[in-house]
Amino acid sequence: MASLDAKQPIHDGSSKAEEGDLDVDQLHIDPAKEVKLLAKLDLAFTPVIMLVYLSCFLDRSNIGNVKTAGMPTDIHASAEQFSAAVSIFYATYVAFEIPWSVLLKKLTPRYLLTALCIVWSLVTIFSGFISNVGGLYATRLILGACEGGLFPCLNLYLTMVYRREEQAKRVSYLFVCTAISGAFGGLLAYGILHMDGISGMAGWRWLYIIEGLFSVVVAAAVFFGLPNDPSNAYFLNAEEKELMRIRAVQRQAYMGSEEFDWAEVKIAFRDPKVYLSGCIQFCQDILLYGFSTFLPSIIQGMGYNTLQSQYFTIPVYVAGGLSFLAFAFISDRLTIRAPFVLFANMFGIVGYILLLTKTSDGVKFFATFLCAIAVYNGPGLNLTWLNVNVAPHYRRATAIGLQQTIGNTAGIVAGQIYRNVPYRLGNGFSLGALCVSQALIASKYLYIRHCNKTKERIVNGEIPDTRKIKTGDRALDFVYHL
């Protein structure tokens, strides 16, 4: 079995569990009670986590909505300058991912995430008052520095609550929010752009202001809704807190010591699967950032007007989000990752080929639905694949931050390849990225399978254990998810 249970030894890098006052016989949880506990955790945490990520992605991707609403003309930005503004966001975004993820426990989830949310909310509001390209560049840089910490920190927070085999479903909530933000953003933009001219302000300015105010409200929800210690959350009763304590002991090999250790950071930086995962994420994020930012423009290029291009994005985003929920649920049940990423990418390959060929606008619109399946499943399932295969906490924190740093540099590329209708360069580049990703996924699968087989041979006494690192995910009883 891929996850540790009560009968397996506990490895946390220090040879003993920190919850040493519980013996093995006590490490049993009634399955029915655990199902109820998980339902309660989901009900409490999921809405807050989804709201904050929805807010984050909405404030990031609305630059695609304001483009079709005339913002470049109003601030006298050329096509090249606007593309640079899309790309420049990721310069600070990738620079701050590792620092924020490593500092999560020290600064505590509640205070760190709330502070980041407040700052990017204010920046979004101020974006409604910019009058030149310099102002756009400045707000995008600050926005990137704040939002860079959210995704890796939320992923780490999930690992503090859920087992390895429970995580793809929960990570899927974040990427569903990416899809929802696209759908909600399109619907919101459709409504707010009708405010064009009110108080002498353009509709795109109202879009920034209103979405920024929404994010301020979300910051309050984060502060009161995400406890620093999920195992002692205010909504849990005494019995449920004890269940959380037992689950923590069972997951000790995955979580590890609470103390920061530079050695764990170094191990993560030398781990081949982190770099393979990062390269896969880079390819998949080419799609995610290009598609989510420029879908309104892609649809507008099919001959639809500004308002139509906003609300026609809604069903595409919904389809992408629902497909990820389905894939993630099955992936968790089977504890299999790579085959689902490979399968989802096949839809994207077909979709981008249709966008690049001479077909009717109806076929091209259908192609966007196929692309959406790969756009959301690829990055989400790949990240989960890394989440569940790195331990303990600070090794995983570094790994997630490094993987996201590598992957999110794709945002810089995405801003440059989607410039002019009909976006043949962008769609062609995305197709190529998908094909490269398929090869990398197969390579990572073979590498991880080799690691599992090596551990198995050591356990069976077929070969000596000459490995230098034997803790965390390198422990012999830690089986990597394929």
Side-chain angles (χ1 to χ4, degrees):
M1 185 176 178
S3 59
L4 299 177
D5 57 35
K7 296 180 181 179
Q8 292 176 306
I10 297 171
H11 300 274
D12 65 352
S14 60
S15 77
K16 66 179 182 178
E18 294 180 2
E19 302 279 352
D21 54 325
L22 290 176
D23 59 40
V24 174
D25 292 335
Q26 291 176 293
L27 298 180
H28 172 73
I29 297 178
D30 184 336
K33 291 182 179 179
E34 188 166 34
V35 168
K36 291 181 180 179
L37 173 65
L38 288 173
K40 195 168 187 178
L41 292 170
D42 286 343
L43 188 62
F45 292 139
T46 301
V48 179
I49 288 173
M50 291 185 72
L51 262 178
V52 67
Y53 196 64
L54 170 65
S55 160
C56 165
F57 213 85
L58 200 61
D59 292 344
R60 177 197 317 178
S61 61
N62 56 17
I63 193 169
N65 299 112
V66 299
K67 180 184 180 183
T68 62
M71 180 202 198
T73 302
D74 289 352
I75 65 171
H76 310 292
S78 66
E80 291 75 17
Q81 289 173 323
F82 195 83
S83 294
V86 173
S87 297
I88 203 172
F89 167 90
Y90 296 96
T92 48
Y93 189 95
V94 299
F96 282 86
E97 285 181 304
I98 293 178
W100 289 138
S101 58
V102 171
L103 288 170
L104 178 67
K105 277 194 173 181
K106 185 175 182 62
L107 299 180
T108 72
R110 168 179 287 170
Y111 291 107
L112 176 60
L113 294 177
T114 301
L116 292 177
C117 189
I118 289 173
V119 175
W120 86 59
S121 301
L122 294 174
V123 170
T124 302
I125 293 171
F126 294 150
S127 296
F129 298 94
I130 59 176
S131 58
N132 53 52
V133 176
L136 178 60
Y137 288 164
T139 55
R140 295 289 290 178
L141 284 169
I142 300 171
L143 196 66
C146 296
E147 293 194 0
L150 183 67
F151 194 73
C153 287
L154 286 181
N155 269 279
L156 278 174
Y157 193 84
L158 291 173
T159 67
M160 295 164 63
V161 181
Y162 299 101
R163 301 181 196 272
R164 296 170 69 204
E165 67 273 17
E166 297 165 352
Q167 286 186 30
K169 180 180 177 182
R170 277 76 192 185
V171 171
S172 75
Y173 298 153
L174 298 181
F175 279 89
V176 165
C177 282
T178 304
I180 292 174
S181 74
F184 182 63
L187 184 62
L188 197 60
Y190 175 74
I192 296 175
L193 290 179
H194 281 92
M195 297 174 64
D196 189 48
I198 294 179
S199 298
M201 295 176 63
W204 64 265
R205 295 186 184 276
W206 283 113
L207 185 65
Y208 272 129
I209 294 168
I210 292 174
E211 289 186 358
L213 290 172
F214 168 73
S215 297
V216 173
V217 176
V218 172
V222 172
F223 184 81
F224 293 106
L226 290 184
N228 287 327
D229 182 6
S231 62
N232 286 308
Y234 66 92
F235 56 83
L236 297 177
N237 59 38
E239 182 182 30
E240 290 164 341
K241 289 179 180 179
E242 183 64 17
L243 292 179
M244 290 290 286
R245 190 180 182 209
I246 295 173
R247 280 166 58 88
V249 175
Q250 293 175 334
R251 292 162 51 252
Q252 192 61 46
Y254 184 55
M255 291 306 298
S257 173
E258 296 289 315
E259 298 298 322
F260 177 77
D261 187 351
W262 278 110
E264 297 295 347
V265 175
K266 292 177 182 178
I267 292 171
F269 268 95
R270 296 172 182 171
D271 192 340
K273 64 179 180 288
V274 175
Y275 291 97
L276 283 168
S277 181
C279 291
I280 295 168
Q281 198 74 5
F282 175 84
C283 294
Q284 301 289 163
D285 281 351
I286 291 285
L287 278 66
L288 179 64
Y289 295 132
F291 190 87
S292 61
T293 302
F294 293 100
L295 182 60
S297 298
I298 292 171
I299 293 177
Q300 189 177 44
M302 297 176 190
Y304 299 102
N305 63 38
T306 298
L307 294 179
Q308 288 174 324
S309 68
Q310 301 295 340
Y311 62 72
F312 278 171
T313 63
I314 297 172
V316 179
Y317 288 127
V318 170
L322 290 177
S323 73
F324 187 25
L325 280 177
F327 276 55
F329 177 80
I330 301 171
S331 176
D332 267 351
R333 291 292 295 270
L334 300 178
T335 61
I336 295 173
R337 313 299 177 181
F340 287 96
V341 189
L342 290 166
F343 181 59
N345 280 348
M346 294 304 298
F347 289 93
I349 289 171
V350 174
Y352 280 105
I353 289 174
L354 290 176
L355 286 176
L356 288 166
T357 54
K358 292 183 178 180
T359 56
S360 67
D361 289 338
V363 172
K364 289 184 183 297
F365 184 58
F366 170 72
T368 62
F369 285 85
L370 298 179
C371 293
I373 296 174
V375 164
Y376 296 108
N377 277 283
L381 291 175
N382 180 55
L383 179 60
T384 302
W385 196 14
L386 181 69
N387 272 359
V388 300
N389 282 337
V390 180
H393 175 85
Y394 282 105
R395 191 184 306 178
R396 183 169 56 257
T398 306
I400 292 173
L402 179 57
Q403 188 244 38
Q404 288 291 290
T405 297
I406 296 171
N408 283 320
T409 55
I412 300 172
V413 178
Q416 301 305 308
I417 59 178
Y418 280 92
R419 287 191 174 184
N420 302 305
V421 175
Y423 301 111
R424 294 188 64 83
L425 174 61
N427 292 329
F429 202 101
S430 297
L431 176 61
L434 268 178
C435 294
V436 173
S437 181
Q438 296 292 74
L440 290 169
I441 292 164
S443 299
K444 185 184 174 187
Y445 174 88
L446 293 173
Y447 172 73
I448 290 179
R449 188 177 69 171
H450 169 73
C451 293
N452 278 341
K453 287 186 178 295
T454 299
K455 289 183 180 182
E456 187 177 336
R457 293 179 67 192
I458 293 171
V459 170
N460 293 336
E462 298 176 23
I463 57 174
D465 190 357
T466 58
R467 300 171 306 144
K468 294 182 180 179
I469 303 168
K470 303 177 183 180
T471 60
D473 62 89
R474 308 293 176 89
L476 293 177
D477 56 5
F478 192 107
V479 182
Y480 295 118
H481 287 190
L482 296 174

